[in-house]
Amino acid sequence: DRSGVGDFDPNDPATERYNNPGAMYPSSWQDKYGAISNTDIIGGGHSIAGFETKEGGAAAQMSLLKEGKYYRNESISDAISTWSGGNHVDSYLTSLRNQGIDTSKKVSDYTKTKEGTIALSKAMATHEKGGIYSMSDAQWSNAYDLGESKGWI
């Protein structure tokens, strides 16, 4: 049984099924972004946060990158090591570089602008899904605006 949120294709990756482009673990701070309480376990035995909308999930991802204590002031390499739980860090960084992300920079070098925040978040979502995440540029922009309107974390 492949769980998810709302109407979903059970064959889709978990990031799509749970409206969670960053494949984040659940946390109470995500409630303001429409997090849905669940105890679901996905591949590899990991928990995953579920969101009412893709924009809510993306806003939470951006919020964690912008303000999360383990990400905001870290190098992208160190942040990805933490984000991924140390799993396949080299391939994750290669994926980001292949999408135009300069992994020698700090996360904050990207998150200081809307465009940079979206670029980093989209690249991470592509890696997490294993393909392009199903959000339009307008949806990514709306997600950023949502995060800003809610004061991020």
Side-chain angles (χ1 to χ4, degrees):
D1 178 38
R2 292 171 59 97
S3 298
V5 174
D7 293 328
F8 64 91
D9 181 337
N11 297 313
D12 279 345
T15 57
E16 294 281 0
R17 296 192 321 265
Y18 287 89
N19 296 326
N20 182 347
M24 296 170 292
Y25 278 35
S27 183
S28 60
W29 67 264
Q30 298 164 338
D31 291 351
K32 67 179 167 181
Y33 295 111
I36 296 170
S37 178
N38 78 75
T39 56
D40 297 349
I41 302 297
I42 60 169
H46 298 280
S47 299
I48 188 165
F51 294 89
E52 293 172 3
T53 66
K54 292 181 187 305
E55 290 89 343
Q61 175 191 8
M62 293 176 197
S63 185
L64 192 53
L65 289 169
K66 286 179 81 62
E67 296 193 351
K69 66 181 177 180
Y70 298 113
Y71 306 105
R72 64 180 176 229
N73 294 317
E74 297 300 320
S75 68
I76 289 178
S77 295
D78 287 347
I80 293 303
S81 181
T82 301
W83 192 278
S84 68
N87 294 310
H88 309 287
V89 175
D90 289 340
S91 65
Y92 205 134
L93 293 172
T94 297
S95 173
L96 295 182
R97 283 191 293 272
N98 289 342
Q99 297 176 75
I101 300 298
D102 182 345
T103 58
S104 70
K105 290 187 173 186
K106 289 189 168 214
V107 171
S108 59
D109 292 332
Y110 279 90
T111 60
K112 66 185 174 187
T113 67
K114 181 177 184 174
E115 295 75 19
T117 304
I118 291 171
L120 180 58
S121 299
K122 282 174 77 171
M124 290 174 68
T126 295
H127 178 79
E128 292 289 351
K129 179 183 174 180
I132 303 295
Y133 195 77
S134 66
M135 283 176 61
S136 67
D137 288 343
Q139 286 175 300
W140 282 104
S141 180
N142 290 342
Y144 183 93
D145 295 344
L146 174 64
E148 198 166 55
S149 75
K150 299 234 180 235
W152 301 110
I153 287 182

